[in-house]
Amino acid sequence: MLEFIRSDLAEFAAYNTQHTDNSHLDHPDRLDVNENPYDLPDELKQKLAWTWQNEIESNRYPDGGYLALKDAIAQYAGTQFTNSNISVGNGSDELIRSILMCTCLNGEGSILVANPTFSMYGILAKTLGIPVVSVDRSPKNFEIDLQAAQNAIDTQAIRVVFVVHPNSPTGNALTSAEIAWLKSLPQNILVVIDEAYFEFSQTTLADQLLERPNWIILRTFSKAFRLAAHRVGYAIAHPEMIEALEKMRLPFNLPSFSIAAARLALAERDSLLEVVSEILEQRAIVYQKLEQLPNLQLWQSAANFIYARSSHDLEQLTEQLRQQRTIIRHTGGGLRITIGTPDENVRMFDRLKNALT
Ligand SMILES: *Cc1c(COP(=O)(O)O)cnc(C)c1O
């Protein structure tokens, strides 16, 4: 071990070595990271290629203020917002880290998460030496244990509460009781509402933001908008929160090509998001079929994936499916299955059925 490396880093693993390296598989069905199964249409790729060739100067740094992109995002987020309400990140993962650095760093506080949930909050907090306080969710409907959460607020130095709406991996949207609890939190606690699946769920708390300077919404172009390769995420919040995030942002954190891709996706959103309804139809079909399988407990989902539990050895089961080139995710004590193309879904079902019976 190199002696100058922080000693606590020894317990971490790099994210891609944990579960996203499938480079040894030949064209697998990738139903493990909740991407949109469809690439950008050819004509949009050609438009983007045209932009690259004719408008992007490779020798120049990007426009570091991102104002045109922020304007377009603000317009998409709602008429009440302007570019002063928007910050952009190299994926929303970068924004999560910036939020942590703006709030809890230097021993100024801990974060609260309710497990199972998106793992990056805890992973990024720990790499910054920020303590993570976890509470459970109901094993029935995955609602946050609000009593335990309130108890954590009362007894520990919580600075930030992270929730996903709808939650990953379990697919449930925030209930009115959970929203009421978030509203009851004092102004010195930041509430991060991660709406990575907004285009699938069509539920948002954006209409609350202007009244609540201690709330921030995160969204991404990586899921419904089909731009995972380009790494663009954004935050919507009070201008002072945005200013703080901008102080943490690396200069030129978004490449020019990614800015162009995100602007194009927003301009063409009506046609790009048309597949959302197909994916939701597929979700209903997959759910109905999975319901017939033995030893599989399912939950309704508001996002582009389905969560299931089983008494099977899930590590072995996901490995068996992987060998057959269907990749699903074993996480949070269950299986998270992304809705893919109709063909991918049929293959997933057949292979899972085989493995379970
Ligand atoms: C996919 C996902 C993200 C990450 O989005 P990027 O913009 O690709 O970094 C953030 N939060 C949740 C809950 C996600 O599922």
Side-chain angles (χ1 to χ4, degrees):
M1 187 72 185
L2 298 174
E3 288 171 36
F4 46 80
I5 306 282
R6 241 171 63 195
S7 53
D8 61 326
L9 287 194
E11 65 192 74
F12 304 129
Y15 185 78
N16 62 351
T17 59
Q18 286 176 356
H19 39 65
T20 56
D21 184 5
N22 295 305
S23 50
H24 56 291
L25 291 174
D26 180 33
H27 294 291
D29 295 336
R30 287 168 294 182
L31 307 181
D32 60 333
V33 285
N34 297 341
E35 297 149 329
N36 191 318
Y38 298 106
D39 198 349
L40 281 187
D42 253 5
E43 78 217 54
L44 290 196
K45 282 200 164 180
Q46 274 161 22
K47 270 195 193 175
L48 197 53
W50 186 93
T51 303
W52 193 20
Q53 193 145 35
N54 295 284
E55 292 187 346
I56 295 176
E57 298 169 280
S58 281
N59 58 321
R60 301 289 176 197
Y61 283 112
D63 154 31
Y66 304 121
L67 276 187
L69 176 58
K70 286 184 179 184
D71 281 336
I73 291 171
Q75 198 216 354
Y76 174 64
T79 48
Q80 69 271 46
F81 301 118
T82 69
N83 59 38
S84 69
N85 297 109
I86 308 294
S87 187
V88 290
N90 198 280
S92 40
D93 290 342
E94 184 195 7
L95 290 161
I96 293 166
R97 182 149 67 182
S98 296
I99 289 168
L100 292 166
M101 294 194 296
C102 287
T103 52
C104 300
L105 211 58
N106 298 336
E108 291 212 17
S110 312
I111 69 164
L112 180 69
V113 297
N115 284 324
T117 195
F118 187 54
S119 60
M120 285 314 284
Y121 314 129
I123 292 171
L124 292 173
K126 286 179 194 158
T127 63
L128 294 167
I130 293 168
V132 180
V133 177
S134 319
V135 297
D136 291 333
R137 292 170 179 271
S138 152
K140 267 202 203 108
N141 60 6
F142 300 115
E143 200 174 339
I144 298 168
D145 182 342
L146 291 178
Q147 226 172 340
Q150 185 58 44
N151 188 44
I153 298 284
D154 293 340
T155 58
Q156 314 221 37
I158 307 291
R159 268 268 167 107
V160 186
V161 175
F162 281 94
V163 294
V164 197
H165 181 48
N167 190 42
S168 174
T170 52
N172 51 309
L174 289 168
T175 62
S176 47
E178 289 172 317
I179 294 170
W181 180 73
L182 294 173
K183 287 180 179 171
S184 78
L185 290 173
Q187 293 293 311
N188 62 351
I189 292 178
L190 174 67
V191 176
V192 181
I193 299 152
D194 188 335
E195 295 186 352
Y197 301 97
F198 161 66
E199 285 79 13
F200 298 106
S201 73
Q202 285 302 323
T203 61
T204 178
L205 290 168
D207 56 345
Q208 298 286 320
L209 276 189
L210 288 191
E211 297 160 46
R212 302 185 188 282
N214 65 322
W215 284 23
I216 180 169
I217 287 180
L218 295 181
R219 300 223 191 117
T220 177
F221 285 88
S222 299
K223 306 285 161 63
F225 271 111
R226 318 190 203 179
L227 294 186
H230 295 275
R231 311 296 300 124
V232 188
Y234 61 97
I236 322 169
H238 189 279
E240 279 182 41
M241 179 70 216
I242 296 297
E243 268 177 45
L245 287 174
E246 291 289 308
K247 292 178 190 175
M248 288 298 145
R249 187 166 69 69
L250 286 176
F252 315 116
N253 58 331
L254 280 193
S256 302
F257 195 56
S258 293
I259 300 170
R263 290 182 63 190
L264 180 70
L266 282 173
E268 304 281 344
R269 60 180 174 261
D270 289 347
S271 71
L272 264 187
L273 295 177
E274 265 171 21
V275 296
V276 165
S277 53
E278 183 207 290
I279 292 168
L280 298 182
E281 279 161 30
Q282 281 293 310
R283 183 182 72 197
I285 293 168
V286 170
Y287 188 95
Q288 273 180 353
K289 290 175 73 181
L290 291 177
E291 252 185 330
Q292 332 256 314
L293 293 182
N295 192 3
L296 199 66
Q297 191 185 3
L298 296 178
W299 283 268
Q300 293 289 348
S301 165
N304 64 332
F305 54 84
I306 290 177
Y307 186 70
R309 281 185 174 169
S310 168
S311 63
H312 255 77
D313 179 339
L314 297 182
E315 203 51 42
Q316 194 199 330
L317 184 130
T318 45
E319 190 47 39
Q320 189 179 339
L321 262 66
R322 182 189 303 269
Q323 301 293 336
Q324 300 169 67
R325 292 189 288 123
T326 287
I327 307 172
I328 62 174
R329 184 82 188 274
H330 174 204
T331 181
L335 300 173
R336 193 191 65 192
I337 305 167
T338 308
I339 303 302
T341 64
D343 285 351
E344 288 174 328
N345 298 334
V346 166
R347 288 193 289 267
M348 179 278 296
F349 176 76
D350 290 343
R351 291 164 185 169
L352 186 58
K353 182 180 175 188
N354 220 341
L356 283 169
T357 53

